[in-house]
Amino acid sequence: MQELKNFIKNTIEFSEQSWGILQNCISEKEFKKNETLLKEGQVCNAVYFVGSGFCKAVFNMDGKEVNTAFYFENSFVTNVKSLTTSSKSEYSIVACEKTKTVQFDKTRLLAAYAESHEIASFGRKILELVTASQEEHSNSFKLQTPRQRFDNLVSNHPDILQRVSLTQLASYLGVSRETLSRFRAVK
Amino acid sequence: MQELKNFIKNTIEFSEQSWGILQNCISEKEFKKNETLLKEGQVCNAVYFVGSGFCKAVFNMDGKEVNTAFYFENSFVTNVKSLTTSSKSEYSIVACEKTKTVQFDKTRLLAAYAESHEIASFGRKILELVTASQEEHSNSFKLQTPRQRFDNLVSNHPDILQRVSLTQLASYLGVSRETLSRFRAVK
DNA sequence: TTGATCCTGTGACAATTGTCACAAAATTCA
DNA sequence: TGAATTTTGTGACAATTGTCACAGGATCAA
């Protein structure tokens, strides 16, 4: 919760009054390793702020898991499409470690938007952040070769390498485990 | 403009009053073929609603153009990251045909959010739509082979095939022009 | 500690896609 | 219209990545 307060303080204007209203929308939730924040097929009705630990987005492609995203400390996780259109999620969101989050309830948050412009701005900000990080990873697929994606990850997000298994990392980069293993061998 | 009115009518609750406020934020803009809505290196300060025609997002990779998105009638175009963080755009947005748009001015729109919750909701809705379509294309790269991407495009968005040149389509699908040509040959 | 299980490294080979070169077809514009 | 330009099709070959198989290590629980 403290992490969230700090995050908000550093991100936008936020009055005590807005914080009071926001209180009604949020609750602390802790997930054990491999616990599910959102299960494939269910409708997403919350946004999570990751205070500690981290999560992944996992598609199940005919039994094979594909990791399309990781969410570390001080970032927001949700399935925007499922959340905003009340459609079934095509993927699951799973804790990779013991993960402490603050859960934002969708319905209450929407109500809070009407009570406080600051909260409404904060809601937009969340969406903007999720979109921006999604776009970054997306463009790496559209503009770079697998090898370039790997090299850039090494330079720009070395933290990910240390926390994620090779197998998970491979599917995140869109290459086979073996190919990733060779990328690491041939530096 | 009529297209935008219809779009709003079909999308959300919107009072006459909100429409009046929104008027101050928008203006009709028409672009000729190959004219630029947003140039690489500039800061994006508007969102465009495409009424007719269509546009593309183009990265310049060492002189080689890569098309990462197309925006057709009744959709919104903007660079979310540049718009929301006032950072320089990494790509350009260019009209592919004579394109009629409605331009939403960023500063005025932000001001309007404070005056009308409906407009604030509409602003979120725009962001959600942009995010969702971005995510769809993004996931096709993360989950499918080039061949599958092509086949799905043929089934799900045959309209694109008819309006976009092979060269542009190839970079959109992330394959070489020659490979795409062969995909089409071997049905 | 000791299996049992999961994760990783690596060789051999197959499949896919890219690159280059050039011809044919389509489009544009004066 | 007709020449110039751009776009597309295709063959040959190279490069990249995937798949399969198996061995060695690491990890975890009893």
Side-chain angles (χ1 to χ4, degrees), chain B residues 146 175-176 178-179 182:
Chain B
V175 297
S176 70
E178 294 87 340
T179 297
R182 283 170 196 127

Side-chain angles (χ1 to χ4, degrees), chain A residues 50-108:
Chain A
V50 180
S52 68
F54 73 104
C55 311
K56 60 179 177 180
V58 200
F59 280 77
N60 190 318
M61 301 300 282
D62 319 311
K64 212 167 209 173
E65 288 198 346
V66 182
N67 303 124
T68 55
F70 292 106
Y71 307 94
F72 295 98
E73 291 86 354
N74 294 311
S75 62
F76 290 92
V77 200
T78 191
N79 179 336
V80 173
K81 194 169 156 191
S82 173
L83 183 80
T84 59
T85 65
S86 295
S87 55
K88 290 182 180 174
S89 177
E90 298 168 302
Y91 56 88
S92 298
I93 298 174
V94 178
C96 297
E97 302 175 347
K98 179 173 133 183
T99 300
K100 292 184 183 178
T101 72
V102 180
Q103 182 186 55
F104 293 67
D105 179 77
K106 172 187 170 180
T107 310
R108 294 184 182 190

Side-chain angles (χ1 to χ4, degrees), chain B residues 131-143:
Chain B
T131 302
S133 74
Q134 186 177 283
E135 187 171 8
E136 185 188 351
H137 190 229
S138 163
N139 284 335
S140 75
F141 274 78
K142 296 177 185 174
L143 304 173

Side-chain angles (χ1 to χ4, degrees), chain A residues 146-147 174-179 182-183:
Chain A
R147 177 78 222 208
V175 296
S176 70
R177 188 183 58 73
E178 293 89 339
T179 298
R182 285 171 195 128
F183 285 169

